[in-house]
Amino acid sequence: MCGIVAYVGTKEAYPIIIKGLKRLEYRGYDSAGVALIRNNELQSFKKQGKVSNLEEFASDADTSGSIGIGHTRWATHGAPNDTNAHPHGSESGDIAIIHNGIIENYDSIKQELLRKGYTFKSDTDTEVLCYLIEDIQKNTGVKLGESVRLALQQVHGAYAIVVMSKNEPDKLIAARKSSPLVVGIGHDGDFYLASDATPIVEYTKKVVYMEDEEIALLRPGEDMKLYSIDDVEKTPYVQELEMNLEVLEKGGYDHFMLKEIHEQPRSIEDCFRGRLNATDAWVSLGGIKDYEQKMMNANRIIMVACGTSWHACLVGEYLFEDLARINVEVEYASEFRYRNPIIDENDIVIAVSQSGETADTLAALELAKSKGATILGVCNVVGSSISRITDAGSYTHAGPEIGVASTKAFTAQVTVLTLMALSLAKKKGTVSDSKFRNLISELEAIPAKVQRVLEKNSKIEYISEQYKDADNALYLGRGSSFPVALEGALKLKEISYIHAEGYPAAEMKHGPIALIDEAMPVFVIATKGTSYEKVVSNIQEVKARKGKIIAIVTEGDEQVTAIADHVIEIPETDEHLVPLLATIPLQLLSYHIAVMRECNVDQPRNLAKSVTVE
Ligand code: AGP
């Protein structure tokens, strides 16, 4: 996710844009930039880091002008640096663009423009789009709005863009597809644009939420013009904003954690966007393509991580071993780095980390590298330390995760590890073509199924009410649902401060069953699959000791539903993909219990979002 802000009207654009970018820094803060047009000249200011860095950089410059565009970046293509910061310009510098999203076919467009003799300054997909717009204008003579429309007809992917040109200095052109874009209708005939309403609400409450494949032409003093990408004029639907600023920053949710839980249909889709195709039956992770042969031939793959990311690795272990038949060892990074592990050049070490800055994980990687292993990364923050020291890797594209308790990053990490396992399995021939196709189709269907689970929020909130005063809780699962049980327990612990333990369901009889009484809620992942009957037996063992059972079951389940105290149904999916769905109710349960216990959900006591110290 990136944050975009733009203004055209009678006021000074720069202060409006800077203030708006600061409100959007939760969407990304790798770099920031502003472009302004003044006296028919277009000038850009761009700086790596937060918006305050940009302000300091431009503090002595002339930043006057009543039309401008601004951007705070969450890098997806190209490392976070001044060159890759937005706004990007066309080759002539006459046109400037800001963009939130991912252009999947940017490379093919870039190759075509390179063949035409263009030379690029950055590594970004956004600059390619700006060059394409100018190339169309040069070849057809059309105005900016039409050249943007024609360019977008060639683009595959997600975008929210604002474009301006020094040759048409009184207008902004905006367009969106899959990424959000809001137009604010000012009181003085001026216009505001932003990724969400937070930078706009203090100036006007009259907004238009643009729809997919709509293009807006905004000229001060005139009505907003709205067109479809097929050049059909549309009537803008103007709404009156009711939310206040504080609520808006969380997208209308009470906490960033809840917002991020509900973002998961999109973040999982963003994670596999352009990386799988069910119709043509392929999976492709460009970042590790050159290392897949080595991964297939490795004696073993070691995954190192901490916390939630370590749980994602445990899911990955089941997937890599069952699908690709590759031996995987999962290690706590903090233990691995001090255990004098036996590592050599035949080993592959994969670090999984949302922040890419966790000290123990970084140190574990450095140790593996020093012993000659190949090191790969699965990170959410582009340009983070772990992503920079690894030989290769795959980004999770979950967007900034502000809540300390990791939610959407976990499901994105599991998605990437699933894609890796599928890609390796296909190359090794360890899964049949029909199973491969079925798994890809099922993975493509996961975002919609996650949405269906999220719609059970009220029931989950009701169940949370029953157990908010518990002192302890047990989480049970088998197979790849065992890591989900661990993750559910960690979520409850870290935000509600209730002691909770995750266990393999079969292990209960080796000790924890002594804890079971009527005060002990036991959360069990009991979805249909290989060990279903065994889990039913474990549930009956708990019930025999008056324990309370809250079961995550497959839609339509009758057997567990008949014996559990509460059930939360999730849609049926392939057993390998159950972790992506079973996690959601456990995230919501921990969230609601924490809220009911009046805990600080987004910043739990004693915790930090990124543990950069040992
Ligand atoms: C998870 O909810 C916690 N915030 C914590 O366990 C976290 O997963 C761990 O610190 C690892 O962080 P990383 O993914 O950024 O490396």
Side-chain angles (χ1 to χ4, degrees), residues 93-108:
D94 293 355
I95 299 171
I97 189 173
I98 48 177
H99 169 222
N100 172 28
I102 295 178
I103 295 174
E104 291 165 18
N105 61 328
Y106 84 98
D107 192 49
S108 56

Side-chain angles (χ1 to χ4, degrees), residues 51-62:
V51 177
S52 52
N53 284 17
L54 171 66
E55 271 188 298
E56 192 179 329
F57 173 67
S59 57
D60 298 332
D62 177 357

Side-chain angles (χ1 to χ4, degrees), residues 56-87:
E56 192 179 329
F57 173 67
S59 57
D60 298 332
D62 177 357
T63 54
S64 59
S66 59
I67 176 172
I69 58 178
H71 185 275
T72 182
R73 186 171 182 236
W74 180 264
T76 55
H77 291 81
N81 57 34
D82 296 359
T83 308
N84 289 333
H86 298 215

Side-chain angles (χ1 to χ4, degrees), residues 306-309 353-356 358 404-406 413 490-491 494 611:
C306 303
T308 287
S309 302
S353 173
Q354 187 287 127
S355 63
T358 299
V404 165
S406 187
Q413 290 165 345
L490 176 62
K491 287 284 105 35
E494 66 176 326
V611 184

